[in-house]
Structure formats: C-alpha cells, structure tokens
Amino acid sequence: VTVGTALANGTQRLRAVSRSPRIDAVRLLEVVLGHDVAWLFAHGEAQLEPRDSACFEELLERRAVGEPLAYIAGSVGFYGREFAVSPAVLVPRPESEHLVALALEGWRSARTSEPIRICDVGTGSGNLAVTLALELPHSRVVAIDVSPGALAVAAHNAKALGAMSRIRFVLGDMFASLAPDERFDCIVANLPYVATGDLAPAPDPTAFEPRLALDGGGDGLEPYQRLLAQAPDRLTEAGRLFMEAGPDTAQALAGLAQAAFGAVASVMVVADYAARERVVRVCRRR
Ligand SMILES: C[S@@+](CC[C@H](N)C(=O)[O-])C[C@H]1O[C@@H](n2cnc3c(N)ncnc32)[C@H](O)[C@@H]1O
C-alpha cells in the first residue's frame, strides 16, 4: 500500500473511536516511519514496506480499542515542549496550559532576587512543574506525587528538558513528606477531579489512564478538600494557589477554597479561552 492509501484506511478505521481520526492516523504513521507530517503529505505515492504496514496495523488496532494516542506514540506536546508519557501518568491536556499561563502571570515580571518557590501537587508527568521551572528561570520547584511510577516519568522529563537542577521530586501524600515549615509563593495542583460515578469505560481513552490520576471520590472534590485543609499553612503571605477543576465543579471548588482561606484571600474562578470555568485562583493578601 502507499502512504496515501494507508492514511485513508487508517482514518476510516479510527472514525468510530476518535474525534480526530485523520490526525491520529497521521501521528501513528509518523511514529512507524520516523518521518514528519510534511514528509507524509509530500510522499503520498511512496510504498510502505510490508513490516511498516504490519506495524501501522498494530498501532491502529491499539488506538481502535481506545488506547490514548499519546501512550502509543510515547509522548505528547505541552506548552511547546514534548513530554514523555506512559500508562503511569495522566496524558497532559491542552486545558492545563491555561493553568500554566495564569500561574506565570505576574511572576515573569517580578523583580526579586529571591527565587520564586513553587510547588506542584500531583505532578504526574511533570508537565506543570517542568514548564514552570523552564519559563521562570528564577524559580525553585517542588514536584509531589503519591505514585512512584509517575515521579519516575516526571524526573525523566525534567532531565530530558533540562530542568532537573531546579526541581526537587518528592514522593508523598499531598504535603505530608515536606518539612512542616516549608512554604511556597505559588502552588499549582491538577488533582483528580472526576466523580467516581462519572469514570468512563473503554473505549474512552481515560479508561487507560491511572485511576489514581482521575478518581476524585463521590463528588469529585475529595482530593481538593484534603489539599485545602493544608494549603493555607503552605502558602506564603502574598502567595497564590491555582487549581484545575472540571467545568461542573469549579464553582463548588471556589466555595471550598474561600471557606478554607477566609477573608485573607480573594478567590476567583477563571474561564478558559473556550469560556469553560476550569481554574480556581486563590490570591492571598498581605
Ligand atoms: C490529574 S493527574 C495530573 C497530572 C499532571 N499534573 C497534569 O496536569 O497533567 C493527578 C496526579 O495527582 C496524583 N495524586 C493523586 N492523589 C494524590 C495525593 N494524595 N498526593 C499527591 N499526589 C496525588 C496522581 O498520582 C496523578 O499523578
């Protein structure tokens, strides 16, 4: 078969499972052939070797039963960089780039000789921790996860992307493994926030992701409730906390945050570019 025919057949195969079957087929063929999309489109008449054809079939089959494209390809783009992923971590979502953009606001122009102390709770692949460390060269980042497998992926990404020297990786439940007096200027968290009853079965791609990264308990807010019980003691005087939530739970999360911080903080739900409420921002006042 030719490249063009393989792409057309692959797109057809993935129609039932993917909202972007053509893009998925292209990405899988890129992985098989080691050529980028521009090459594929310029060589539609090129013949596939039988072993490449068989390999493409195998990857299509994995995708056809719902496995996320990023697991099959082994990596995914986030905030302009490529992050390795494995089934030990949640696949970084484009929505989380908005949380990064909000967390960066203000700090980029901050003229301080002191390093900005950042904590990423539930770091997963390390996409938030590594991006913030690289975008804010003046930062020191602590990246926490309760999953050793996730921390290994995050450390791999930090090393590959040149951020290892400014990130400390900590295995632990929320802040439990830190010294009692360690505080941060900025805390980011994308903790599990899917209500247990809403966890979707295969072929939904989330069925392949770690339950520990998705399951937010009965109302989807249990991990955040636990975080908020501790966060006020972990934030510096003018510190900020950014939490990613589901569009259905952001307002409830904002209510919990306001209750946890009281009058010393302003809490705001920030909508993303698609006008969905995804991030809760807590700014502590001096
Ligand atoms: C939704 S994933 C987010 C991953 C990554 N930060 C991102 O934005 O794509 C949530 C992560 O929180 C971790 N996690 C769950 N419960 C935790 C806890 N009690 N303490 C620390 N990390 C936890 C999971 O292992 C998972 O890696």
Side-chain angles (χ1 to χ4, degrees):
V1 294
T2 65
V3 163
T5 312
L7 283 179
N9 294 343
T11 303
Q12 199 52 38
R13 274 276 290 288
L14 299 181
R15 242 179 240 297
V17 76
S18 173
R19 265 180 278 168
S20 51
R22 174 94 175 150
I23 293 172
D24 290 13
V26 166
R27 180 76 185 106
L28 294 178
L29 199 53
E30 281 182 340
V31 170
V32 171
L33 298 180
H35 290 301
D36 68 6
V37 58
W39 187 95
L40 295 183
F41 287 166
H43 295 82
E45 297 307 315
Q47 289 289 329
L48 292 190
E49 298 283 342
R51 71 187 145 85
D52 289 339
S53 216
C55 183
F56 185 52
E57 274 302 310
E58 211 176 286
L59 300 194
L60 282 173
E61 185 48 37
R62 286 171 63 184
R63 184 70 193 101
V65 295
E67 188 172 344
L69 189 64
Y71 286 168
I72 303 172
S75 71
V76 67
F78 185 82
Y79 214 85
R81 300 181 180 88
E82 202 64 18
F83 283 80
V85 292
S86 81
V89 298
L90 186 98
V91 175
R93 309 287 202 262
E95 296 91 284
S96 303
E97 295 183 346
H98 185 228
L99 182 141
V100 168
L102 289 172
L104 287 174
E105 264 176 25
W107 296 120
R108 274 197 209 273
S109 53
R111 288 172 188 273
T112 157
S113 53
E114 294 292 310
I116 303 156
R117 290 156 296 174
I118 297 174
C119 184
D120 174 19
V121 187
T123 197
S125 63
N127 53 316
L128 305 180
V130 171
T131 303
L132 291 172
L134 294 175
E135 295 295 322
L136 294 171
H138 211 61
S139 60
R140 292 273 178 282
V141 181
V142 173
I144 301 172
D145 208 291
V146 76
S147 152
L151 275 186
V153 174
H156 168 89
N157 281 320
K159 206 168 172 187
L161 293 166
M164 199 61 175
S165 63
R166 278 186 297 107
I167 306 182
R168 199 172 98 226
F169 292 94
V170 176
L171 179 66
D173 175 13
M174 306 289 170
F175 303 101
S177 300
L178 304 184
D181 60 347
E182 184 162 14
R183 287 169 177 251
F184 302 93
D185 305 303
C186 176
I187 298 175
V188 294
N190 180 14
L191 285 168
Y193 58 71
V194 182
T196 309
D198 293 341
L199 290 168
D204 193 289
T206 59
F208 293 78
E209 295 182 294
R211 200 177 165 116
L212 188 57
L214 296 166
D215 191 347
D219 62 356
L221 288 171
E222 284 172 21
Y224 278 124
Q225 258 163 342
R226 296 189 52 233
L227 179 87
L228 284 166
Q230 306 168 38
D233 290 336
R234 293 294 180 175
L235 215 52
T236 54
E237 267 189 359
R240 292 174 209 166
L241 163 66
F242 300 87
M243 297 175 285
E244 182 172 323
D248 302 336
T249 46
Q251 288 293 346
L253 179 58
L256 294 174
Q258 194 69 70
F261 280 86
V264 296
S266 68
V267 176
M268 201 178 147
V269 178
V270 191
D272 64 15
Y273 305 119
R276 279 172 315 189
E277 296 183 324
R278 299 297 304 237
V279 176
V280 174
R281 179 176 64 194
V282 180
C283 296
R284 194 172 229 179
R285 289 184 279 258
R286 272 177 216 279

